[in-house]
Amino acid sequence: MTDKISARILWFSEISKEDLPIVGGKSSNLGEMVRLKTIPVPNGFSTTSYAYKEFIRENDLDDKILDIIKKTDIDDSKKLKEASEEIRQLFLNAQFNDLLAHEIRDYYRKLIDREKNIYVAVRSSATSEDLPDASFAGEQDTYLNIHGEDDVVQNIKACYASLFSPRAIYYREKKHFGHFNISLAVAVQKQLFSEVSGVMFTVDVSTGDSSKIIIESSYGLGEYIVGGVVTPDTYYVDKATMKITNKIITNKNKMLKCLETGGTEELVVEKEMANRQSLTDEEIIHLANYGLQLEKHYGNSMDVEWAKDSFDHKIYVLQARFETVWNENNRGGEKVQQEKEADENDVILKGLPASPGKIAGVAKVLLSVDEMEKFKDGDILVTRMTAPDWVPIMGKAKAIVTDEGGLTCHAAIISRELGVPCIVGTSSFGKKATEVLKDGETITIDAKNGLVYRGGITNVAEEEVPAQNVYHESDIITGTKVLVNMGEPQLSEKVSKLPSDGIGLMREEFIWAEIGEHPLSLIKSGRGEYFVDKLSSELARVCRDFAPRPVVLRFSDFKSDEYQSLKGGKEFEPEEDNPLLGWRGASRYYDDRYKEAFKLELKAIKKARDEYLLKNLWVMIPFTRTVEELKKVVKIMEDNGLERTKDFKLFLMSEIPSNIILADKFNQYVDGYSIGSNDLTMLLLGSDRNNGKMSSMFDERDLAIKRAIRYLIKIAHRDGKIVSICGQAPSQYDEIVDFLVRSGIDDISVNPDAVTHVRKMVASVEKRIQLEAALGKVQTDPDWDLP
């Protein structure tokens, strides 16, 4: 170890992860991977922190630099830039001693002789970068495709100077790092002529989901990904199965390429190639396995740079470091205050959710870092893409929105570290933020879901969660599960905080209304996949918020008059005198006039479960008149890949008297029931629930309804089936809650505003039953059961 401390240069093979104080994060991790021997890494060497300190000391730079910084207001962008340039000139005018200059040249000659390659990459490696709690991502410089001894020496000196760029000074000051507590090593590494390159995270950096590996890839050198010049392809790999669960393929119309004469140039990518998947599925899994190896070895989520060499077509790892936002020490959720929901109809822009948070503010559109003087504290930064020079502005920003970039671009990484909500890559969704958003206008950023709304957050939606209902761990635990009814996905984050055991009724209708077009019309115009993508993404949002709690989705139950109101609906819908008792629910799903639309629903559900890996999504069939009808629907589901399993439950909405009377027959095809007390009451009492004149006859507390429910619970439980209720009755009447608990119902699903009250009510009834049992007199009404 003594030899290493006094060494000026070390080969990668001599370095391990324990040598971070000597060679910095980048070089120590490169050495560690070389020693692993299972991860392919381009060979190279590293200067040491000893060499850097020697350079500072011999040129008397430390006092001069600190004096400049002390006199500078770092929040004044112009003055910070001037100070940085003054310090930089100090470095560039300083000289290496003869011994170090000679060693650099000697190591370079040996490297090119071993590798038969005269080109190298010269990369800064700070001794405080790539730590679990403080990434200095992109804060120091890298120089590519360098050749010749003189150029290598000069670029190492330029790397030293980059330690005091405006972005680096600002970053260290804000993170409270001493400027000379950090030293700079420089890695000199064989240059790959990358045909494809990118970044890999062994955690979903937008959500903290550690079950996934995220890979971004584009053509040429990876600098265009990190710099946000191109929006890369994104691949999601499930760690448990090592299967690709999702792909986002973009238009990668530019690439940065190494020139054989040295240096780099930008090339235009031919259109067909630009829109093609830049990695094969086999290469994606191969790369993901490297990610798993590194995560296991380091015991931490990892941020990995990689490249595919254009000569041998192999994938190499260029850098690996700890992922700094979602590691175990930093987990803890959003750092910004949640405000009221914006109106979904006011969404003006969509992008990739890079750093979570929700906030409103004034947009400031900047097309160049030279405009930074215009930016004020608390503005929302809107730009094409950030680079390291933008860090001083980013530190002042309330939120960030960019035209370009992926989940691992500079803007995404830095905003996550700063705790600033960030949306990137809006151009991938068809609109550029810098063109849509106007300088000075007020906007709302929902960076958890990648949405930008016009105006401030002022609207409270119908299912807004009351503040007093927020869940605490001390809330009451009940034997009878208390679930919640929900329909609007944008409210799922708030509703998920309620003390519920999941969603007992998730309606599709709000999503359909947002789509606004009849599914058969979409199919006719060749846009069926739009419906699938929209429905699956909205369901994924809800399921993620509630995971691992179940979400029971009711298949579409529009009536013909409601379908007619959708765009193109009149072409496909009949005129019915009584739509409530007409062509609705299960009767549509197997009908040749509608079956293809139902298949779109099934495809969306399967995508949410299989591609997004959201196994907490279950389904429920509404308004099923006969057992034969149920069999037909179940067969179509099975034919389309949705078959009942241990982790995929199928429920029947019990809302027609036949569902009760023939429960023993329906039991064969379902895992349980959810009682739709609204329709059940209407059909048992012959009272049209949409007819105001009959309201006095519509009473869910009627003895007929209670007897039907008791009978269903008895027959269902006999065959091991679950019984829930999702109608309005338990949300409105405490006596119905008392009746349901005493009748042994498994789940009670209620409106969001009733969850806390009903949970307390359920707990009270359960305790009362325990007390009555102890006294030998449990209270039930003899009239509840059939004679």
Side-chain angles (χ1 to χ4, degrees):
M1 190 69 182
T2 304
D3 291 338
K4 284 187 182 181
I5 290 175
S6 60
R8 294 179 177 87
I9 300 179
L10 295 167
W11 290 106
F12 287 167
S13 58
E14 299 177 286
I15 298 169
S16 75
K17 63 182 179 181
E18 308 303 325
D19 296 324
L20 188 146
I22 300 171
V23 294
K26 189 178 283 91
S27 294
S28 63
N29 284 328
L30 286 168
E32 183 72 14
M33 289 187 291
V34 167
R35 292 158 71 99
L36 277 176
K37 298 183 179 179
T38 57
I39 305 292
V41 178
N43 195 16
F45 61 87
S46 178
T47 65
T48 66
S49 59
Y50 179 87
Y52 172 78
K53 291 173 182 176
E54 185 179 64
F55 178 82
I56 294 290
R57 184 178 65 254
E58 290 180 351
N59 288 281
D60 298 320
L61 294 180
D62 45 359
D63 290 339
K64 297 174 185 177
I65 290 170
L66 289 176
D67 186 56
I68 292 170
I69 294 173
K70 285 177 183 177
K71 294 177 182 179
T72 303
D73 178 2
I74 66 163
D75 289 314
D76 185 323
S77 302
K78 184 177 180 180
K79 290 180 180 178
L80 177 62
K81 193 172 183 180
E82 291 172 354
S84 171
E85 183 57 32
E86 187 179 352
I87 294 170
R88 184 175 179 82
Q89 287 304 315
L90 292 177
F91 272 95
L92 296 180
N93 293 334
Q95 299 296 320
F96 287 111
N97 64 46
D98 292 340
L99 182 59
L100 179 56
H102 172 76
E103 284 192 54
I104 292 170
R105 295 171 187 276
D106 184 52
Y107 272 75
Y108 170 72
R109 286 193 295 269
K110 289 177 180 177
L111 176 64
I112 63 173
D113 184 57
R114 290 179 185 179
E115 301 299 326
K116 310 300 181 186
N117 179 47
I118 63 172
Y119 298 98
V120 294
V122 181
R123 301 176 181 271
S124 302
S125 179
T127 58
S128 290
E129 72 173 342
D130 304 339
L131 298 176
D133 59 347
S135 170
F136 277 35
E139 295 309 310
Q140 282 76 51
D141 287 348
T142 289
Y143 299 92
L144 301 174
N145 212 24
I146 305 302
H147 71 98
E149 298 171 19
D150 292 341
D151 284 346
V152 171
V153 170
Q154 284 303 108
N155 279 286
I156 290 175
K157 196 161 132 179
C159 283
Y160 283 178
S162 76
L163 190 59
F164 289 89
S165 65
R167 60 194 183 260
I169 296 170
Y170 183 89
Y171 201 94
R172 287 196 298 274
E173 286 284 297
K174 289 298 182 181
K175 290 280 189 179
H176 305 293
F177 287 105
H179 293 283
F180 291 100
N181 290 337
I182 300 169
S183 297
L184 196 78
V186 180
V188 179
Q189 185 177 26
K190 175 186 174 182
Q191 176 72 59
L192 295 185
F193 282 66
S194 309
E195 58 179 293
V196 183
S197 58
V199 187
M200 169 172 58
F201 279 112
T202 63
V203 60
D204 186 336
V205 290
S206 65
T207 65
D209 184 353
S210 60
S211 70
K212 295 183 177 66
I213 292 173
I214 312 298
I215 297 172
E216 293 187 332
S217 70
S218 191
Y219 300 114
L221 295 168
E223 276 61 25
Y224 269 18
I225 294 179
V226 175
V229 178
V230 296
T231 300
D233 295 340
T234 305
Y235 314 105
Y236 294 75
V237 179
D238 174 55
K239 289 180 184 175
T241 62
M242 289 308 286
K243 291 183 179 179
I244 301 167
T245 60
N246 193 23
K247 302 176 187 177
I248 301 173
I249 310 302
T250 65
N251 178 18
K252 305 164 291 297
N253 57 358
K254 297 177 184 177
M255 65 182 289
L256 187 67
K257 184 179 179 181
C258 286
L259 296 174
E260 294 185 8
T261 54
T264 60
E265 72 170 342
E266 178 178 297
L267 298 177
V268 175
V269 180
E270 185 268 327
K271 186 175 181 181
E272 182 181 350
M273 180 179 174
N275 291 290
R276 190 188 308 152
Q277 186 173 318
S278 49
L279 283 179
T280 67
D281 287 1
E282 183 180 9
E283 288 170 335
I284 293 167
I285 299 303
H286 189 67
L287 183 54
N289 274 303
Y290 289 153
L292 278 184
Q293 287 183 54
L294 289 170
E295 182 176 70
K296 182 177 180 181
H297 178 73
Y298 282 97
N300 202 94
S301 298
M302 301 299 291
D303 169 358
V304 180
E305 292 181 20
W306 58 270
K308 180 182 176 183
D309 189 33
S310 60
F311 292 109
D312 62 16
H313 307 294
K314 293 181 180 179
I315 291 176
Y316 292 83
V317 172
L318 306 179
Q319 180 183 344
R321 61 187 179 198
F322 287 0
E323 195 283 321
T324 59
V325 176
W326 290 104
N327 69 72
E328 291 301 326
N329 293 328
N330 279 345
R331 293 186 188 205
E334 297 181 8
K335 302 176 184 176
V336 296
Q337 182 177 355
Q338 293 288 326
E339 300 187 37
K340 295 178 182 178
E341 293 287 344
D343 188 342
E344 182 77 5
N345 294 327
D346 289 336
V347 172
I348 54 175
L349 200 62
K350 295 184 178 182
L352 295 171
S355 177
K358 188 176 298 177
I359 205 158
V362 176
K364 180 61 67 174
V365 181
L366 301 183
L367 301 181
S368 167
V369 73
D370 294 333
E371 301 176 283
M372 67 170 61
E373 289 82 5
K374 301 177 184 178
F375 197 83
K376 298 177 182 177
D377 283 351
D379 284 345
I380 294 177
L381 174 62
V382 180
T383 188
R384 295 189 182 104
M385 173 42 57
T386 66
D389 288 336
W390 290 78
V391 170
I393 301 177
M394 297 171 75
K396 300 176 184 178
K398 184 183 284 188
I400 299 167
V401 185
T402 70
D403 292 345
E404 307 297 339
L407 296 178
T408 54
C409 70
H410 179 270
I413 292 172
I414 299 302
S415 60
R416 283 194 292 271
E417 293 183 1
L418 296 175
V420 175
C422 179
I423 297 171
V424 299
T426 64
S427 61
S428 297
F429 293 80
K431 295 180 180 179
K432 292 184 177 181
T434 53
E435 295 175 357
V436 173
L437 303 179
K438 306 303 180 186
D439 200 60
E441 75 172 317
T442 299
I443 58 174
T444 296
I445 304 297
D446 175 5
K448 182 177 186 293
N449 297 300
L451 303 176
V452 180
Y453 301 89
R454 193 181 305 284
I457 311 176
T458 58
N459 181 49
V460 181
E462 181 181 348
E463 291 184 328
E464 181 85 3
V465 179
Q468 67 270 22
N469 277 341
V470 175
Y471 176 70
H472 299 286
E473 289 183 357
S474 60
D475 276 0
I476 300 165
I477 304 299
T478 60
T480 306
K481 291 182 179 179
V482 178
L483 309 173
V484 64
N485 299 332
M486 211 190 81
E488 299 188 54
Q490 66 265 30
L491 298 176
S492 66
E493 181 181 5
K494 287 185 177 292
V495 176
S496 70
K497 293 180 173 65
L498 292 172
S500 75
D501 297 301
I503 297 180
L505 170 64
M506 176 67 200
R507 309 180 193 90
E508 287 186 28
E509 284 71 23
F510 289 98
I511 304 172
W512 286 54
E514 183 183 346
I515 293 170
E517 187 168 353
H518 196 288
L520 292 175
S521 175
L522 289 169
I523 291 172
K524 184 178 180 180
S525 61
R527 292 179 296 127
E529 285 303 312
Y530 164 72
F531 177 90
V532 172
D533 291 341
K534 178 65 175 176
L535 180 57
S536 63
S537 65
E538 293 296 280
L539 293 176
R541 183 203 301 198
V542 176
C543 291
R544 277 195 294 263
D545 286 336
F546 274 83
R549 294 169 290 174
V551 173
V552 181
L553 174 74
R554 182 180 68 186
F555 287 129
S556 57
D557 192 23
F558 272 30
K559 288 78 177 174
S560 55
D561 56 337
E562 294 168 330
Y563 275 115
Q564 283 182 13
S565 66
L566 297 173
K567 181 181 177 181
K570 291 185 178 180
E571 179 182 350
F572 302 101
E573 294 299 322
E575 293 288 343
E576 295 186 295
D577 293 330
N578 189 351
L580 266 175
L581 298 178
W583 194 35
R584 59 176 288 201
S587 63
R588 284 180 170 264
Y589 307 153
Y590 58 87
D591 192 311
D592 288 338
R593 293 173 295 171
Y594 189 83
K595 184 164 58 176
E596 294 307 310
F598 179 55
K599 289 180 181 178
L600 293 183
E601 285 186 64
L602 299 179
K603 190 173 182 180
I605 291 162
K606 184 170 173 56
K607 182 174 182 177
R609 284 181 53 82
D610 294 351
E611 293 188 22
Y612 292 112
L613 294 179
L614 295 165
K615 301 301 185 182
N616 59 327
L617 177 60
W618 302 345
V619 295
M620 179 160 56
I621 304 173
F623 220 80
T624 307
R625 293 170 169 92
T626 67
V627 176
E628 188 61 33
E629 194 168 55
L630 176 61
K631 287 170 62 177
K632 291 178 181 179
V633 175
V634 170
K635 179 66 164 59
I636 294 171
M637 290 177 61
E638 291 173 347
D639 290 344
N640 285 271
L642 288 175
E643 189 171 354
R644 291 163 58 204
T645 63
K646 288 183 179 180
D647 67 354
F648 180 58
K649 305 298 183 185
L650 173 62
F651 291 84
L652 182 71
M653 280 284 285
S654 183
E655 52 194 338
I656 302 174
S658 61
N659 304 149
I660 309 293
I661 297 168
L662 298 177
D664 59 320
K665 305 299 182 184
F666 282 108
N667 279 350
Q668 301 172 53
Y669 303 99
V670 297
D671 296 289
Y673 300 86
S674 186
I675 299 165
S677 58
N678 301 343
D679 277 349
L680 183 62
T681 301
M682 176 180 72
L683 295 172
L684 278 173
L685 299 181
S687 175
D688 184 349
R689 64 183 175 90
N690 284 352
N691 188 338
K693 295 178 181 179
M694 299 300 297
S695 60
S696 62
M697 297 296 298
F698 189 89
D699 190 344
E700 293 154 302
R701 295 167 293 178
D702 190 274
L703 181 59
I705 313 305
K706 290 180 178 178
R707 284 189 173 183
I709 291 173
R710 292 273 288 193
Y711 180 77
L712 177 63
I713 293 172
K714 177 182 177 181
I715 301 303
H717 283 181
R718 185 191 69 187
D719 292 340
K721 308 300 178 182
I722 295 170
V723 181
S724 179
I725 185 168
C726 60
Q728 291 300 304
S731 296
Q732 291 179 275
Y733 307 116
D734 285 353
E735 63 191 89
I736 289 293
V737 175
D738 184 281
F739 159 75
L740 292 169
V741 175
R742 291 181 180 278
S743 297
I745 200 161
D746 299 285
D747 308 334
I748 299 176
S749 192
V750 296
N751 298 336
D753 60 357
V755 169
T756 300
H757 172 74
V758 170
R759 180 171 285 281
K760 290 177 180 177
M761 181 69 189
V762 168
S764 174
V765 176
E766 289 179 345
K767 288 179 180 178
R768 202 178 312 136
I769 292 172
Q770 290 177 348
L771 179 59
E772 291 169 356
L775 297 173
K777 45 181 179 181
V778 175
Q779 300 293 321
T780 57
D781 190 330
D783 281 342
W784 289 349
D785 290 304
L786 292 169

